[in-house]
Amino acid sequence: MIKTRLALLLLVSITFGISAKAQQTDSLQRDTVIKIDTAQVNKFRIDSRRNAIPTRVRPVQLQRAQVPFNMLDYKVNYWKKSVTFGLNFSQSAFSSNYAAGGVSAVALGTNFIYHTEYNKAPFSYVSELNLQYGVSKNKDQGKRKTNDRIFFDNKLATQLSKNWYFFGALTFESQFDKGFNYAYVDPVTGIAATGPVQISNFMAPGYLTESLGFEYKPTNYFDLRLGTGTARQTFVLDKSIITHQPDNYGVDPNKTVRNDLAFQMVALFDKDIAKNIHLNTRYALFIPYGEDLRFITHRVDMVLSAKVNRLINVTINGTLLYDKHTARDVQATEGLALGMLYRFP
């Protein structure tokens, strides 16, 4: 029994010894392989410090070069032009036995505006020609004017600062046709005339105004002119109106022209105040030097237009005038029209 145990113990010891020897041999082989691989790698390794490629750093130099190219085929246009033409027509008819009464009538009104503008800093030039004429014809009556005006304004300016300019302006104003008073009463006798009497005509009166001064223009829709040096000539070339116009528009009855030196202020407002609604207003103040303050002239012209569609417009125009040389009291006119209005462009 004892011998058997000793034999088993010896067998186990021999087995453990052989296993340990095999592990030692494998470890030694792995170390050898690792050493051999490391040596091979070190053999072919390149030292970058000893084998660096030589380089030279040069400063970057920029030079201006002329590159040929072809100019675009276009021109700068400093001019802006526009044309506005309006035509209003109205008609009414009544039978002879119409119970509510009424008079058959036809009315026609026209309006033409030509506006041109030149802007090239520091100079600017603005010109506007405004022509208005309207007539109405009632049954059993002759034609009567409803509107009549010629207005031609020219202004040349040079810029002094952001909003201030020095300007020179030339303005002409008159009418196309004869004007009549259909309810004339003689101011001396108080007797009413039996028919219409002529009180105006082309160049009776006519006004030519030259003005120099300063202009304030903060926006493109507002313009204020201060004409510190203004001269105005008033023309009356039709002597037939003297009988019913005693003051003769301030012109001596023996002459055809009157000269005035004055201070003039003109304010212009031209803007769309709402969608499809445009307001154009012009106020002119004229203070003649050397005359009484009661001869100061005020004039307001206003045009309010509402666009219905591309061609149809509703227009309200009015004028308010205070001029002692033409009437004792304030004069006013107003008109409402529905018609065609065409603007180009």
Side-chain angles (χ1 to χ4, degrees):
M1 188 68 176
I2 295 174
K3 290 181 178 181
T4 302
R5 291 180 179 177
L6 290 174
L8 291 173
L9 180 60
L10 180 60
L11 182 61
V12 170
S13 298
I14 294 171
T15 303
F16 274 105
I18 295 172
S19 176
K21 185 66 176 177
Q23 291 179 359
Q24 185 177 2
T25 302
D26 293 341
S27 176
L28 181 60
Q29 290 177 351
R30 285 196 302 268
D31 292 342
T32 302
V33 172
I34 292 173
K35 290 180 179 179
I36 293 175
D37 293 342
T38 305
Q40 293 294 330
V41 171
N42 291 334
K43 181 180 179 180
F44 293 101
R45 179 175 293 175
I46 298 174
D47 189 351
S48 60
R49 291 175 298 176
R50 291 191 301 175
N51 297 279
I53 299 175
T55 60
R56 289 183 297 175
V57 179
R58 295 181 179 179
V60 178
Q61 297 182 355
L62 301 178
Q63 295 182 354
R64 181 178 296 177
Q66 299 292 336
V67 179
F69 65 97
N70 296 326
M71 291 292 293
L72 297 177
D73 188 15
Y74 71 89
K75 295 181 180 180
V76 178
N77 189 0
Y78 298 99
W79 290 91
K80 289 170 54 179
K81 300 178 182 180
S82 65
V83 176
T84 302
F85 177 74
L87 181 63
N88 305 308
F89 176 79
S90 64
Q91 180 268 341
S92 61
F94 301 86
S95 63
S96 59
N97 60 344
Y98 189 67
V103 177
S104 299
V106 176
L108 180 67
T110 59
N111 184 20
F112 177 83
I113 300 174
Y114 178 75
H115 182 92
T116 181
E117 186 173 341
Y118 175 84
N119 283 293
K120 185 179 180 181
F123 299 103
S124 67
Y125 170 73
V126 178
S127 177
E128 181 174 320
L129 175 64
N130 191 335
L131 308 177
Q132 301 176 15
Y133 191 75
V135 293
S136 66
K137 176 67 171 64
N138 296 338
K139 185 179 179 180
D140 299 328
Q141 293 180 346
K143 70 173 185 178
R144 299 186 178 186
K145 287 196 305 183
T146 58
N147 207 355
D148 190 4
R149 190 188 188 202
I150 302 173
F151 179 78
F152 188 34
D153 182 49
N154 298 271
K155 182 199 67 175
L156 179 64
T158 181
Q159 190 170 12
L160 301 176
S161 64
K162 181 179 179 181
N163 297 325
W164 285 95
Y165 297 78
F166 179 76
F167 81 93
L170 178 66
T171 305
F172 172 75
E173 190 171 0
S174 188
Q175 63 189 50
F176 287 101
D177 202 0
K178 296 178 180 180
F180 295 89
N181 188 336
Y182 297 92
Y184 180 81
V185 178
D186 191 291
V188 178
T189 62
I191 300 175
T194 56
V197 297
Q198 183 183 344
I199 57 174
S200 63
N201 200 353
F202 174 72
M203 291 301 290
Y207 301 98
L208 186 64
T209 306
E210 306 88 22
S211 184
L212 292 174
F214 299 94
E215 177 185 29
Y216 177 64
K217 192 175 180 65
T219 64
N220 60 350
Y221 59 83
F222 178 76
D223 183 357
L224 178 66
R225 304 182 196 174
L226 303 175
T228 53
T230 301
R232 184 173 74 176
Q233 296 80 46
T234 304
F235 299 90
V236 178
L237 304 184
D238 188 348
K239 295 293 185 178
S240 63
I241 68 171
I242 297 177
T243 305
H244 304 291
Q245 196 67 275
D247 192 56
N248 200 37
Y249 297 102
V251 179
D252 190 318
N254 297 318
K255 299 180 180 180
T256 57
V257 62
R258 170 192 172 94
N259 290 286
D260 288 297
L261 295 177
F263 169 81
Q264 185 184 49
M265 183 182 76
V266 178
L268 304 172
F269 183 87
D270 190 3
K271 184 183 179 183
D272 289 333
I273 58 176
K275 185 178 180 180
N276 295 332
I277 299 179
H278 186 83
L279 176 64
N280 182 291
T281 305
R282 185 179 191 273
Y283 168 71
L285 170 69
F286 189 83
I287 305 176
Y289 297 139
E291 282 201 60
D292 194 274
L293 293 180
R294 63 192 179 95
F295 291 106
I296 295 177
T297 301
H298 303 267
R299 178 171 181 137
V300 180
D301 293 282
M302 184 273 295
V303 178
L304 180 67
S305 59
K307 189 174 182 180
V308 179
N309 56 34
R310 189 169 178 268
L311 290 178
I312 305 301
N313 275 50
V314 177
T315 304
I316 301 175
N317 62 77
T319 299
L320 190 68
L321 175 63
Y322 177 80
D323 185 357
K324 283 290 186 180
H325 288 304
T326 58
R328 295 180 180 179
D329 302 319
V330 176
Q331 307 168 61
T333 178
E334 177 271 335
L336 172 64
L338 172 65
M340 181 189 72
L341 185 68
Y342 178 75
R343 288 191 179 96
F344 179 82

